[in-house]
Amino acid sequence: MYGLGIIKGLLLTMRVFIRKPFTVQYPEQRLDQHARFRGEEFVWYEERCTGCASCAKYCPLGIIKIVTKPGDKKLAEGGLYDIDVFDIDIGRCMFCGLCVEACPYDALFMGSGFEEAQPHRDGLVIDIEQLRSRDKRPSTWFRPQLEKRGYDPHNGSPL
């Protein structure tokens, strides 16, 4: 009884031992991400943003801080706000995407990257300068217009 059980256990161990491993050594090797992957980056199109703060209103955690003042651009169309502060605290973000869904002008997208590790929590706040200077590689999550065009945020040029 004991001998047969031990032999079965060793056979199972040997089968697993000769099988090809599927573990990836992360920094050197990377798995392909799906185009709908919602990463830790946010993509913000400043020219589309009106400063309405819908994203901040619908964020369940209140991690988006927007400070605006009345602007003098596009007065004939109702006017735009000048955005002074647009901060996103990704240290507290749960990446639900409600801010992206709430934006009526398609100005905010979930990004496709995930390498935003910082040694301190203070470095996890994305400010307006970082949002302006980032590559525009939005995720196709909740954006069927990007999926229809066959856009892949991991390959190709930024939008």
Side-chain angles (χ1 to χ4, degrees):
M1 191 75 147
Y2 289 112
L4 187 61
I6 291 174
I7 292 172
K8 284 182 181 179
L10 285 173
L11 287 175
L12 176 66
T13 302
M14 292 308 291
R15 273 195 310 241
V16 171
F17 185 71
I18 61 174
R19 186 170 54 190
K20 181 182 175 186
F22 51 85
T23 304
V24 175
Q25 299 298 320
Y26 168 64
E28 293 83 24
Q29 300 172 339
R30 296 172 189 245
L31 293 175
D32 292 333
Q33 298 292 332
H34 193 273
R36 286 187 172 192
F37 174 74
R38 292 182 287 176
E40 291 182 349
E41 297 175 348
F42 281 89
V43 177
W44 179 58
Y45 292 96
E46 185 177 13
E47 63 276 359
R48 294 182 192 169
C49 186
T50 62
C52 67
S54 292
C55 53
K57 291 175 200 168
Y58 286 99
C59 178
L61 300 175
I63 63 164
I64 300 174
K65 179 182 177 185
I66 298 178
V67 177
T68 61
K69 63 183 176 195
D72 55 347
K73 300 181 218 167
K74 296 190 180 180
L75 290 175
E77 290 130 19
L80 294 177
Y81 290 102
D82 289 334
I83 301 169
D84 295 330
V85 176
F86 193 115
D87 291 344
I88 302 172
D89 185 3
I90 63 168
R92 293 180 40 219
C93 185
M94 62 181 177
F95 306 102
C96 63
L98 291 176
C99 55
V100 174
E101 291 182 45
C103 183
Y105 304 104
D106 282 347
L108 189 64
F109 287 75
M110 298 296 286
S112 57
F114 58 91
E115 297 172 330
E116 291 288 324
Q118 299 288 331
H120 301 287
R121 291 185 67 89
D122 297 339
L124 292 174
V125 177
I126 303 171
D127 62 356
I128 194 167
E129 294 305 320
Q130 287 177 321
L131 287 170
R132 284 178 179 150
S133 64
R134 282 203 169 148
D135 281 345
K136 307 298 185 199
R137 295 185 183 274
S139 169
T140 61
W141 176 81
F142 199 71
R143 299 294 183 215
Q145 68 271 26
L146 293 177
E147 251 184 327
K148 286 178 187 172
R149 290 194 298 180
Y151 172 71
D152 184 12
H154 306 290
N155 299 322
S157 62
L159 290 179

